[in-house]
Amino acid sequence: MAVARDRQADETRSATGTVDGRYGGYVLAVLVVVYVFNFVDRQILSILAERIKRDLDLTDAQIGFLYGTAFAVFYAVFGIPLGRLADVWERRRIIALGLCFWSVMTTLSGFARTFAQLGLARIGVGVGEASMSPAAFSLLSDYFSAKRRATVMAIHQSAIFIGSGLGLGIGGLIVDRWDAAWSGSAPMGLRGWQIAFIAVGLPGILLSLWVRTLREPVRGQADGIYAPAESQPMRQFARELRSVCPPFTVWHLWRVGASGREIAINLLAAGALAVAAAALTNWLGTPVQWIALGIGIYAGVSWAQAIGYRDRVCFELMFHTPSLRYAIGCFAFLAAAGYGINFWTAPFFIRVHHLPEAQAGLIIGGLHATAGWIGVQLGGVLADRWRQRTLNGRLYVAMLTAVLPVPFALIVLSTDNTSLAATLYFPQSLLGALWSGAAVSTIQDLVLPRMRATVSAAYLLMVTFVGLALGPYTVGRLSAGLGGLRPAMLCALGVNVLALLFGWLATRHLPADELSKIDRARAAGELGL
């Protein structure tokens, strides 16, 4: 027993020496590359949208579904059990396996011939990519101290913009040149948009081997709150998966000891969501959008009920921390505006300003990648420095993001001058990226290290449902109803008002919530603190 304690102490001292060290910087660099691939595979659909729409005879709403809901619902739902797995198993292995899987599914997207086939492939991409963020957030939080966390998370989040920009640029070049070179009979009958999916999917399979070589840090080392090793991680993953997969959700609640009242509430929620999905389908059409979203929301409700029985402390910190609830609402609405506008920007320049796909991809992709990379890192540094003066500093950065890009976006979407629109898209993208690092670090700071990946998955659930599942689809649906992308995208800017409101509400609670975190965890039954 003494030998085991000495060995654990030695491992702890050794691990603690890696906090804010060079190896952590190397891990950060590798994870940035992985996240770039994540968003290349995700965002490339934007520049390919016009060709896919024509070849498969789709509507804007269906395109929005493919990019948003088909991906988002399964990304968010599977993020919950994968987030739990990241809290009890090797995070580097989870990321490597997930990267390999989503890369295979991206490659298979290139062989889709129908809306249904492409939708299934996008679902697979969503499931694979769900492995990335919770595990990466938790891993980086153990390699870097709290004082540097927003900056580190911002560097990691900058990959969103690099990947999005590369996806637009690469996709535009491939689709334009392939279709020009093979205007007649192409090899295997593949079109340019299909080749683009294959070209960006295959390299990720090789990258997964590199990720597997990373070292796993001691959990909690950066905060001095060490979490004991968990036994049977796969059993815990299966249990968490069961809690979000209908119809096993009801059985899971019964197994964990839920009362008849709780099970009845769960069934009533399922019925209410089914009625809502039917009503929205009757009103707006696109049944797959509302069926998928309804299933996803029901899975989230079931999981929230179950976690109260599985981990009461995690439940208390997650659902009874007012600043966490309001902050996630703020970030979700920022994501809705961002996803809704950014996905449709390339099609907007193609339709309204009549740019070819290759040119639109290079211009919009280049501007978005450069501006976003600068903006997200600037936001991370600003958030860390502002936090040194006030615990609300990071939330203030998010609130700025809800306001500062709007004037530029109004001009970009209103002017008929292509040069002016492209020029002002740069500051719009830069200022719209400020919040990413501040958001992730805020979530990490409000919970214990042992539950960071799980809570990150809950954060991604809300951001994905509100931002990704509804943002692009809603703009696409408004485009059909209002007669074009311009009025639809202008309407999307109104969501920033809600983001600003929720950010302000979060600032009223965050200092007290963060300072009382340990005491509230002890009161809820946490041992060893």
Side-chain angles (χ1 to χ4, degrees):
M1 181 68 70
V3 173
R5 282 197 301 267
D6 291 343
R7 184 183 299 114
Q8 183 178 9
D10 290 342
E11 289 176 354
T12 296
R13 284 191 293 271
S14 175
T16 303
T18 68
V19 175
D20 294 334
R22 293 178 62 183
Y23 189 77
Y26 167 71
V27 172
L28 174 60
V30 174
L31 294 182
V32 166
V33 174
V34 175
Y35 213 24
V36 166
F37 273 78
N38 184 297
F39 267 81
V40 167
D41 293 353
R42 188 185 309 189
Q43 190 69 21
I44 196 170
L45 184 62
S46 175
I47 197 66
L48 306 179
E50 296 300 294
R51 304 289 179 104
I52 295 172
K53 181 182 175 183
R54 182 192 65 197
D55 288 349
L56 301 184
D57 192 25
L58 306 182
T59 65
D60 278 350
Q62 287 175 309
I63 289 292
F65 168 80
L66 286 173
Y67 176 77
T69 314
F71 172 92
V73 168
F74 292 88
Y75 175 82
V77 169
F78 277 84
I80 290 172
L82 287 168
R84 176 58 182 162
L85 184 61
D87 275 334
V88 297
W89 199 45
E90 288 190 20
R91 291 158 287 186
R92 56 168 186 165
R93 188 177 298 182
I94 295 170
I95 296 169
L97 291 171
L99 169 59
C100 184
F101 183 77
W102 90 61
S103 299
V104 169
M105 297 308 295
T106 300
T107 304
L108 291 177
S109 300
F111 296 95
R113 306 279 182 174
T114 65
F115 173 70
Q117 290 173 355
L118 187 54
L120 287 173
R122 294 295 294 174
I123 287 171
V125 174
V127 172
E129 291 195 7
S131 66
M132 171 67 192
S133 292
F137 295 164
S138 176
L139 195 70
L140 291 173
S141 292
D142 283 335
Y143 270 120
F144 294 94
S145 60
K147 66 182 179 181
R148 299 185 59 191
R149 203 161 281 155
T151 301
V152 169
M153 294 302 178
I155 293 171
H156 180 255
Q157 295 295 97
S158 68
I160 294 173
F161 303 93
I162 299 171
S164 297
L166 285 175
L168 293 176
I170 293 170
L173 285 173
I174 291 175
V175 73
D176 191 58
R177 294 187 178 184
W178 180 271
D179 286 346
W182 299 96
S183 56
S185 177
M188 300 177 61
L190 296 175
R191 307 303 298 265
W193 62 267
Q194 295 173 301
I195 294 297
F197 278 125
I198 296 169
V200 300
L202 290 175
I205 300 171
L206 297 177
L207 178 60
S208 66
L209 301 176
W210 183 18
V211 175
R212 186 64 182 83
T213 66
L214 297 177
R215 295 202 299 265
E216 183 78 8
V218 172
R219 200 178 301 270
Q221 65 177 17
D223 298 271
I225 305 175
Y226 298 98
E230 296 278 356
S231 61
Q232 301 178 316
M234 290 304 164
R235 178 173 292 183
Q236 296 196 45
F237 168 71
R239 186 183 300 122
E240 207 79 351
L241 183 63
R242 188 177 68 198
S243 74
V244 297
C245 288
F248 301 107
T249 47
V250 176
W251 180 55
H252 178 78
L253 284 173
W254 175 74
R255 285 289 303 273
V256 298
S259 64
R261 179 176 176 273
E262 285 289 325
I263 293 174
I265 290 173
N266 182 274
L267 294 173
L268 284 173
L273 287 167
V275 170
L280 288 167
T281 297
N282 185 59
W283 178 33
L284 298 172
T286 323
V288 289
Q289 163 75 16
W290 307 114
I291 292 171
L293 189 58
I295 291 172
I297 294 173
Y298 171 69
V301 170
S302 299
W303 172 75
Q305 287 183 291
I307 200 172
Y309 292 92
R310 192 259 293 165
D311 189 340
R312 192 67 195 176
V313 179
C314 184
F315 181 88
E316 289 293 325
L317 291 186
M318 192 185 310
F319 294 103
H320 292 167
T321 301
S323 60
L324 186 60
R325 296 198 303 267
Y326 290 128
I328 288 177
C330 170
F331 305 144
F333 287 121
L334 286 174
Y339 281 122
I341 292 172
N342 289 331
F343 173 75
W344 288 106
T345 296
F348 172 80
F349 273 85
I350 292 169
R351 296 183 196 179
V352 176
H353 295 280
H354 309 293
L355 294 181
E357 279 96 337
Q359 188 177 358
L362 288 174
I363 293 173
I364 302 305
L367 290 171
H368 187 66
T370 306
W373 183 81
I374 295 172
V376 73
Q377 298 198 61
L378 177 63
V381 173
L382 178 61
D384 276 341
R385 291 187 178 180
W386 211 336
R387 179 182 159 82
Q388 292 175 11
R389 301 178 63 181
T390 170
L391 291 177
N392 278 326
R394 290 171 179 165
L395 287 174
Y396 292 150
V397 171
M399 293 169 69
L400 284 178
T401 310
V403 176
L404 297 182
V406 174
F408 297 99
L410 289 172
I411 299 174
V412 169
L413 296 172
S414 301
T415 184
D416 292 323
N417 186 317
T418 303
S419 298
L420 178 62
T423 299
L424 293 184
Y425 182 64
F426 186 89
Q428 175 193 329
S429 294
L430 189 152
L431 296 170
L434 294 175
W435 68 280
S436 297
V440 175
S441 54
T442 296
I443 302 303
Q444 303 292 299
D445 289 342
L446 286 170
V447 297
L448 301 180
R450 72 168 182 83
M451 59 186 68
R452 279 178 175 151
T454 298
V455 177
S456 293
Y459 155 72
L460 290 170
L461 182 81
M462 282 296 298
V463 168
T464 304
F465 279 167
V466 176
L468 191 52
L470 290 177
Y473 171 82
T474 301
V475 173
R477 190 68 182 77
L478 287 172
S479 175
L482 299 175
L485 279 176
R486 176 173 279 164
M489 294 171 74
L490 285 168
C491 288
L493 292 173
V495 179
N496 283 344
V497 175
L498 293 173
L500 187 62
L501 172 62
F502 275 78
W504 173 73
L505 290 171
T507 61
R508 300 181 63 190
H509 299 276
L510 184 138
D513 287 345
E514 189 168 333
L515 293 173
S516 65
K517 174 178 64 178
I518 300 296
D519 290 337
R520 288 186 291 117
R522 286 176 179 148
E526 184 73 5
L527 302 176
L529 290 179

